[in-house]
Structure formats: structure tokens, C-alpha cells
């Protein structure tokens, strides 16, 4: 546990490998430079930070996000005043979900890995949460990379994974042909984090279907080995949501997944992405 001398906040690791809770701050405040940088450092050190008991309005969330960098404006058909704000929700109005990613379980993935410039981070704010389920799991991809056998590390060093996203698709991989409408992008399987300089494993079960230059028969066993390795429980922090939780993950060195939850219960999270981190 690390209490900063010149700020009021305390950083408490949530597991030995990933996640830290920050206590002693109100994120609505205009945090001074030292306090904010202590939060940023905790984010880089622990890959996922959690701040509980917050009352964040839409503007507060945008302002907080802007301290980290540039907010992403992804296609957002939903409500929210700022173009970077969206909701993750199963709530429906006139039969239509008011947010994205409405229902059920989601397999491990990295946000927008199927685009040229995936966001540096994603921040969710809990507003309504089910009584059970709908937890978000985070896996540390530095640890996953570091613990691969040396021969596997050598084998993947220069490979590129091809990531796909079918906008009409499911959150659990379905066997079958890839839709011709799917968005796709290839990225190195071993990704060096631009700030920490550490290597992270950058493939995921939900969206990485191919390895450039390999046949499906060659790629499939290698990808499955990497997926099984990277999802091991000792790399994972499981976040059980409460209203008022702010969770920010580093999308460059983590994967996340979601456990199933009842369609009878409401779940509403407010979401922004940090498209590009800017260290002030
Ligand atoms: C996301 C996401 C998981 C969740 O917002 O990118 O994957 O728990 N959310 O809803
Ligand atoms: Mn996601």
C-alpha cells in the first residue's frame, strides 16, 4: 500500500498481478497536478484502477478523461451530450437498447483492436448494476507475456494477429465464416506499451481469428495456446460492480471480459475512451 506524501490518496493493490483501488479522492474535484499524476502512475503500474463511491456527472467524467488525454469519439448512436460519451446498458426504450453491449456474457477482448488506432484506455462509471453477475474481468497481458515459455516468446516475436469485428456479431465467438462486412486490422502479437516500455501479449479470443502469413491450421493451435494461457485466473481481477464505481483500464496491456447476468435486471454504465494518452 502506497500513501503519497504530498497528496491525500492511497493506492491499494486488488490482486498480486492486476488492479488497484484508489481511496481518498473525489473525482469531481479539479485535482492538483501531483494528485492527478499519482493516479496516472497507479494506472500505469496496476493497469486497472478502481475508485468507488463517486458521484460523477457526464461533464465530470469527460473532464476527468481529458486529464489522461484525448477522448475518443467513436460512432455513437445513443444518448449522451458529449460525442465521446456512451452507455453500456441492457435497458430498452421502445424495445431498443439505450446503449451498446446490452446483454450477457462477453469473452475476453481488447477494445477496438480491429482498428488502426485502438484507444489507450476505457473508463466505465457504474450507475445501475444487477444484484448478481455482470462482473467485469481484467487480465494482465504483461504478466501473460512474461510467463510464456521462451520458445513461444521467440516464435511470436514478429507475428501479427488479425482482429475482426462484425458490428452485428455476438460477444462469444461463433464458428463459421467471417462476415464480409467485418472490420479488421492486423497488429503485432507482442505489443510494446508506449509509456511503460513493457511487452504485452496482444491477441484475444473474441476478435483475433488469424495470424498473418499462417494457414488456419497453423494459426489455430498457436492462438488457442495463447488464449488459454492469457485467461488464467492468476492474471485476472474480477470487478463486482456497485453504483458509483469508476473503473479505468489500460487497453494496451489488459484484456477484459464480462460474466453473464439476468435480462430481468437493469445494468447501466457510462463509458468513455481515452483515444490517445497525453502526459502533461
Ligand atoms: C466495454 C466492455 C464490459 C462490461 O465497455 O468495452 O467490454 O462489463 N464492457 O460491460
Ligand atoms: Mn470492451
Amino acid at each position: 500500500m502506497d500513501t503519497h506524501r504530498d497528496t491525500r490518496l492511497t493506492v491499494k493493490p486488488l490482486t498480486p498481478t492486476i488492479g488497484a483501488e484508489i481511496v481518498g479522492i473525489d473525482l469531481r474535484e479539479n485535482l492538483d497536478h501531483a494528485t492527478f499524476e499519482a493516479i496516472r502512475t497507479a494506472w500505469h503500474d496496476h493497469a486497472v484502477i478502481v475508485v468507488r463511491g463517486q458521484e460523477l456527472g457526464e461533464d465530470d467524467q469527460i473532464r476527468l478523461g481529458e486529464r489522461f488525454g484525448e477522448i475518443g469519439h467513436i460512432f455513437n448512436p445513443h444518448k449522451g451530450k458529449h460525442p465521446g460519451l456512451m452507455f453500456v446498458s441492457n435497458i430498452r426504450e421502445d424495445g431498443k437498447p439505450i446503449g451498446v453491449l446490452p446483454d450477457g456474457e462477453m469473452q475476453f477482448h481488447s477494445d477496438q483492436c480491429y482498428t488502426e488506432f485502438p484507444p489507450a484506455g476505457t473508463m466505465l462509471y457504474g450507475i445501475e448494476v444487477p444484484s448478481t453477475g455482470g462482473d467485469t474481468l481484467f487480465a494482465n497481458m504483461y504478466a501473460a507475456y512474461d510467463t510464456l515459455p521462451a520458445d513461444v516468446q521467440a516464435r511470436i516475436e514478429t507475428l501479427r494477429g488479425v482482429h475482426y469485428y462484425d458490428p452485428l456479431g455476438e460477444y462469444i465467438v461463433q464458428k463459421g465464416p467471417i462476415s464480409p462486412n467485418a472490420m479488421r486490422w492486423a497488429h503485432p502479437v507482442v505489443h510494446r506499451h508506449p509509456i511503460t516500455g513493457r511487452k504485452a501479449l496482444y491477441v484475444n479470443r473474441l476478435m483475433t481469428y488469424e495470424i498473418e502469413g499462417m494457414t488456419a491450421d497453423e494459426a489455430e493451435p498457436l492462438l488457442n495456446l495463447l488464449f488459454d494461457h492469457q485467461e488464467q485466473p492468476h492474471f485476472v481481477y474480477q470487478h463486482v460492480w456497485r453504483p458509483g464505481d469508476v473503473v479505468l483500464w489500460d487497453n494496451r496491456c489488459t484484456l477484459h471480459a464480462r460474466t453473464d447476468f439476468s435480462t430481468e435486471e437493469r445494468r447501466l454504465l457510462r463509458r468513455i475512451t481515452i483515444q490517445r494518452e497525453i502526459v502533461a
Side-chain angles (χ1 to χ4, degrees), residues 162-223:
V162 192
H163 312 276
Y164 285 84
Y165 175 65
D166 177 354
L168 302 174
E170 303 287 331
Y171 318 137
I172 296 178
V173 172
Q174 313 289 309
K175 281 278 171 206
I178 298 166
S179 157
N181 301 324
M183 291 182 261
R184 71 188 73 186
W185 203 267
H187 292 286
V189 168
V190 181
H191 176 242
R192 195 179 283 281
H193 192 290
I195 292 182
T196 66
R198 295 182 61 189
K199 288 179 178 177
L201 186 56
Y202 195 75
V203 292
N204 67 81
R205 199 183 293 275
L206 184 60
M207 293 171 176
T208 314
Y209 299 166
E210 295 166 352
I211 292 183
E212 270 183 0
M214 280 191 179
T215 64
D217 285 349
E218 288 166 341
E220 200 176 305
L222 177 58
L223 285 171

Side-chain angles (χ1 to χ4, degrees), residues 101 106-107 109-112 122 207 249 251 256-257 271:
L101 312 175
M106 293 181 77
Q107 282 179 327
H109 65 280
S110 170
D111 289 335
Q112 290 162 255
T122 305
M207 293 171 176
W249 64 87
N251 197 45
H256 57 283
R271 182 184 196 275

Side-chain angles (χ1 to χ4, degrees), residues 77-122:
H78 305 295
K79 294 194 180 77
K81 278 183 284 181
H82 187 282
L85 278 175
M86 60 202 290
F87 294 100
V88 171
S89 187
N90 64 349
I91 300 169
R92 281 150 168 100
E93 279 171 13
D94 303 323
K96 279 194 243 114
I98 63 163
V100 297
L101 312 175
D103 303 308
E105 184 185 351
M106 293 181 77
Q107 282 179 327
F108 274 103
H109 65 280
S110 170
D111 289 335
Q112 290 162 255
C113 55
Y114 51 87
T115 64
E116 185 172 8
F117 301 111
T122 305

